[in-house]
Amino acid sequence: MTANQYGFDTLAIHAGQDPDPRTGAVVPPIYQTSTYAQDAVGAPRLGYEYSRSSNPTRDALQECLAAIEGGRRGLAFASGLAAEDTLLRTVCRPGDHVVIPNDAYGGTYRLFAKVAERWGLDWTAVPLDDIDAVRAAFRPGHTRLIWAETPTNPLLNIADIPLLAGLAHEYDALLAVDNTFASPYLQQPLALGADVVIHSTTKYIGGHSDVVGGALITADTGFGDELAFHQNAMGGVNGPFDAWLTLRGIKTLGVRMDRHCDNAERIAGYLSEHRAVSQVLYPGLDTHPGHEVAAKQMSRFGGMVSFRAAGGAEKAIEICNRAKLFVLAESLGGVESLIEHPGQMTHLSAAGSALEVPADLVRLSVGIETVDDLLADLEQALG
């Protein structure tokens, strides 16, 4: 199934998920097995021999991921960072260089600064919405990858995907886009020129805060084969039950994202008028510096809202601690609303670096609850 044949929600429900041919089960079975009987030496049945290499439940998820991102090859992993690590070690070698956002996710920063750098990979952090800064950071012959997030985590900056793709390809490099915040429902980077898409499927794709996972999707079959080789060789795959939970979450991705966006738009507007808030970071606001680019490459603006507390770091922490309906927790993208202080939670690993986030920043993952209840909770939390 491809996007040329069917709409997004049809793909989300059906791609890779034909009824089981033996029993007629509408939902793909959980193949909770580590190994498979072979018909003869060198003749595995349907190609299955060991579940690190392939598993029917994971295959169903991978086919669905490729379909909803408009790609040809989807690969599922045990976490978003397992996907990131596999991508880096597929594309790069010691001595190579990567350009990353100067406000990247804290776990991505940690992977580059504390793991990949020791392996011999160099990197430069720049604002990806400044194409001149990106060009200046390039090292011809050594820069293999532009690593983009759009919107970024947690400052919700916007990168121009076609512009970055053109620059990367000019230097014979690749563009990777972390599409976790937008989800495939709101943005499809491969259609805009990206070479590979990254997801923490833990977030909007899974959508229910009950499973951890990651994904890589590409439209290039040969590149997909390289990634698949490393997926198997490095072994960071998800188990069949995790794949099944993620596949279940995908079925409602479209309808969930519509509500996430509805609620986030209301909340961003409310916060923009509140005296306890000095700045609201949401690409759906026409005051956001990336609003016009986001409007061109996203169908809507997502469910993530960040804001800066007028009273500084102490006030930001107080707001997080006072929230009741917004659960104080890391992660994002689930049906329930979450609140966090990035500086001391998800982005603590970036403290003291060029990627350190403002101490007065609060990040909201706006869920799908009744929006008036969410607004009331923010009113009492803001004081």
Side-chain angles (χ1 to χ4, degrees):
M1 300 180 73
T2 68
N4 294 329
Q5 294 174 289
Y6 297 105
F8 183 91
D9 291 314
T10 302
L11 294 171
I13 293 168
H14 293 287
Q17 301 168 77
D18 291 338
D20 179 57
R22 188 170 70 88
T23 66
V26 172
V27 175
I30 303 170
Y31 285 87
Q32 194 69 42
T33 184
S34 61
T35 192
Y36 306 82
Q38 301 191 22
D39 295 325
V41 173
R45 193 174 305 171
L46 300 177
Y48 292 106
E49 52 188 12
Y50 188 59
S51 277
R52 171 174 41 78
S53 303
S54 56
N55 174 281
T57 313
R58 188 166 73 242
D59 286 349
L61 170 60
Q62 293 181 151
E63 184 176 338
C64 188
L65 287 167
I68 62 175
E69 272 288 5
R72 295 191 176 188
R73 190 71 180 267
L75 299 167
F77 295 84
S79 68
L81 282 167
E84 292 189 11
D85 185 42
T86 301
L87 173 60
L88 281 179
R89 290 201 270 174
T90 302
V91 173
C92 300
R93 303 290 183 271
D96 285 345
H97 174 253
V98 180
V99 177
I100 71 169
N102 67 342
D103 58 341
Y105 164 54
T108 298
Y109 164 76
R110 183 175 56 233
L111 177 63
F112 276 95
K114 308 297 185 183
V115 179
E117 188 173 300
R118 295 175 61 188
W119 178 60
L121 183 65
D122 202 3
W123 54 278
T124 303
V126 300
L128 294 189
D129 56 356
D130 182 345
I131 197 66
D132 292 330
V134 179
R135 184 182 292 276
F138 253 78
R139 301 176 188 174
H142 293 279
T143 302
R144 303 299 178 199
L145 194 63
I146 298 177
W147 188 285
E149 293 176 16
T150 184
T152 59
N153 179 6
L155 297 179
L156 295 162
N157 285 315
I158 301 296
D160 189 317
I161 295 173
L163 200 61
L164 289 177
L167 178 60
H169 299 158
E170 178 184 338
Y171 287 96
D172 198 28
L174 301 177
L175 173 63
V177 175
D178 185 334
N179 202 28
T180 298
F181 267 32
S183 88
Y185 183 68
L186 302 181
Q187 178 173 265
Q188 297 198 333
L190 296 176
L192 298 169
D195 298 286
V196 60
V197 170
I198 309 154
H199 280 284
S200 170
T201 58
T202 310
K203 312 305 193 295
Y204 287 108
I205 285 178
H208 293 79
S209 302
D210 56 8
V211 62
V212 174
L216 299 173
I217 303 100
T218 181
D220 184 292
T221 303
F223 185 30
D225 290 343
E226 289 184 57
L227 292 169
F229 172 84
H230 283 79
Q231 178 197 41
N232 179 50
M234 294 167 64
V237 297
N238 57 358
F241 185 53
D242 288 351
W244 185 87
L245 283 171
T246 305
L247 198 57
R248 184 192 63 172
I250 289 175
K251 292 176 185 290
T252 59
L253 178 58
V255 292
R256 286 188 286 106
M257 291 308 301
D258 283 336
R259 176 62 72 86
H260 284 300
C261 292
D262 289 344
N263 287 357
E265 288 166 10
R266 285 279 304 277
I267 285 170
Y270 161 79
L271 292 171
S272 296
E273 303 296 326
H274 202 287
R275 64 188 181 281
V277 175
S278 63
Q279 183 183 17
V280 179
L281 308 174
Y282 184 65
L285 297 173
D286 57 13
T287 54
H288 189 286
H291 175 72
E292 290 186 10
V293 173
K296 288 191 296 185
Q297 63 191 27
M298 300 175 71
S299 59
R300 293 185 73 179
F301 302 101
M304 300 300 298
V305 180
S306 293
F307 66 91
R308 301 183 71 170
E314 184 176 338
K315 180 64 175 178
I317 293 170
E318 177 188 326
I319 292 167
C320 291
N321 289 336
R322 286 172 57 92
K324 297 177 181 178
L325 189 56
F326 279 84
V327 179
L328 180 62
E330 298 188 0
S331 197
L332 59 104
V335 293
E336 63 286 303
S337 293
L338 304 179
I339 189 170
E340 67 127 357
H341 184 260
Q344 294 192 32
M345 295 174 69
T346 53
H347 290 69
L348 181 61
S349 62
S353 76
L355 281 75
E356 182 173 4
V357 299
D360 59 0
L361 189 72
V362 176
R363 191 191 74 180
L364 304 178
S365 174
V366 180
I368 66 172
E369 302 95 336
T370 302
V371 69
D372 289 339
D373 296 332
L374 297 175
L375 291 168
D377 189 39
L378 287 172
E379 179 66 25
Q380 68 82 24
L382 288 164

